Amino acid sequence: MRFLVAFIAFPAIVSPLFVCDAADRSTYAIVRSGKASDVSDELFPPSRIEDRFGDSCFDADTRTAWNAYLRLWHSHAEHPDTPSIRRYFSLPLDGEIEIKSAPGRAAPRILGWKRGTYQRFDSPHFVIHSQASKLATTEVAEDLERCYWIWTQVFFPLWDGSAQVAISLRDWKPNQSAADFLEKHPNRLSTRQKMNVVLFRDAGQYVAALAGHVPGVERSTGFYSDASRTTFLFAGGNEPANSNLGEMVATRRHELTHQLFREATRAKTRSGRSGNAGMPGDASRFWLVEGIAGYFESMVCEGRNATLGGWDASRMAYSRYRILVGGDFLPLSELESQGRIAVQQRHDIARWYAHSINYTHYLLDGELDANRCWLYERLAELYDVDMKMHSDAGRSDHLPEPSMSELQAFLTVSDQDLMANPARRQLQRLCLAHGEVTDAGLRAIPEQKSLEWLDLSRLPITTEAVARLVPDPSSLRQLNLEATAIDRDLARWLLKAGNLEELDLSFTRVDSQIDVPLSNMHSLETLWLTGTNVTDSVLDVVERLPRLKSLDVQRTSLSSDRIERFRQSRPDVKLNPLELR
């Protein structure tokens, strides 16, 4: 699959760059601190726009400017200490992204913050009103800038700076270096208006300040206010290191995406094509508003790479579970017709989000150039951007309508997928269920230290492979190994899985050896032992689990007398919830 390569601004001194030819994601190279002499001569070149969208999507001027912009980022990554390039992007010559702080002023009125109680931090594209620490605020500011530069490269035709780029780089010759061109034609990208962000010290302060103004804020970890043109976030406060960090970063990027499409695009108006003052997606197509923001949650900036998309995206684990395991299907046409109010009234909002984000991944990371082009056109309509298309392309109103089998094929993960696109980060959720993965493919995933949900159901995975993937399972809350090749030796590994809340070992070869690890699972609520080799002794153990709510022991050798005694002693437990035929 073809993909788009882009680069992120970082310090002027860098270490080697590495960009992998990933088949299921867009890959970006991050410039890092280090010695400039260590930069690899084998820097991967950016793909041409034609390679990702074909040559009949955008007009020639857009493609030329976009290609030049990506080429300039490539030059920056290859020679990050080049003064003329750094000036063009308004990057300080001595390295770090410039962030200035001063006593706070002009924070949103609903906060009621008085002068002297907060600080104002200015980065090139953001103003952050913060009551968090300087360190926490600086980290957030750097991530916002990093995400901004990625977004400009991915959505260049919609970005409000694209016209500046087109004019300033139009005379850049193919055989001319970026440094030479910008030294002869010095220029600097300007920012129309900085975007506002409020950063609270912690979740408690966030809820206390906004509860009277934003219904349901206590259930959120951040939001973008279209009315005030402000993103509201909170730092970790005094929480333990990495506590909820992944969710906070995902939320930051989700809400920032809303802000960027509203405030950093070339919108002709700020009211949408309908001409009213509503938000994009109010009348229809709200799925894409949330889907594209959910897609940006998949951004990973780690080591020397940044990626968007991929089988290991956290949201894709939910999609894989719903569609491959549960057989769930929501037609894109149903999502397309609903606006914001209609969606908020749905009883299955989690399901709606899963399908919306999955369709966005499918359209952007799938095989068809036409689908990517269609999605960009729809984004331009939503955010009222006059995006220039190829003269022969017109605007395609034909709705891509992938079938259930096409979505299943897109979501199914194989050994080849894992080996060609190895995960380069620690995951919280991993669902490979109903895929084509063996022990060999699982070995391509590095040891995981923070997994909370692991689903390998119906894969020929052995005990050894599971133990290698997660040597210490104490972080696991949900574990599904149904119909895998695990055996009785899994019991030793389960001794360390004392925080499980849900465990499914159905149709595996586990036996009474699991009695001991089960006795330590005081948080366990749901247990599936269907079709296993357990004996009556297992009920002596699970009978004493204080939080148990559901237990299935069908198709086992447990005696009917012992099952009846369990039923009488634990009437609060739903026994054998599914009737097997």
Side-chain angles (χ1 to χ4, degrees), residues 16-29:
L17 289 158
F18 175 79
V19 181
C20 62
D21 187 354
D24 68 341
R25 65 198 73 198
S26 302
T27 304
Y28 307 85

Side-chain angles (χ1 to χ4, degrees), residues 5 20 31 51 80 138 146 220 241 247 266 275 297 300 303 314 334 340 360 392 447 453 470 474 487 506 531:
V5 178
C20 62
V31 184
D51 294 334
T138 299
R146 185 177 304 125
S220 71
E247 183 179 353
R266 296 184 294 105
E297 291 181 31
V300 178
S314 181
E334 179 179 335
R340 178 175 57 88
T360 306
D392 296 333
E447 290 184 3
W453 172 33
V470 190
S474 60
D487 55 26
S506 301

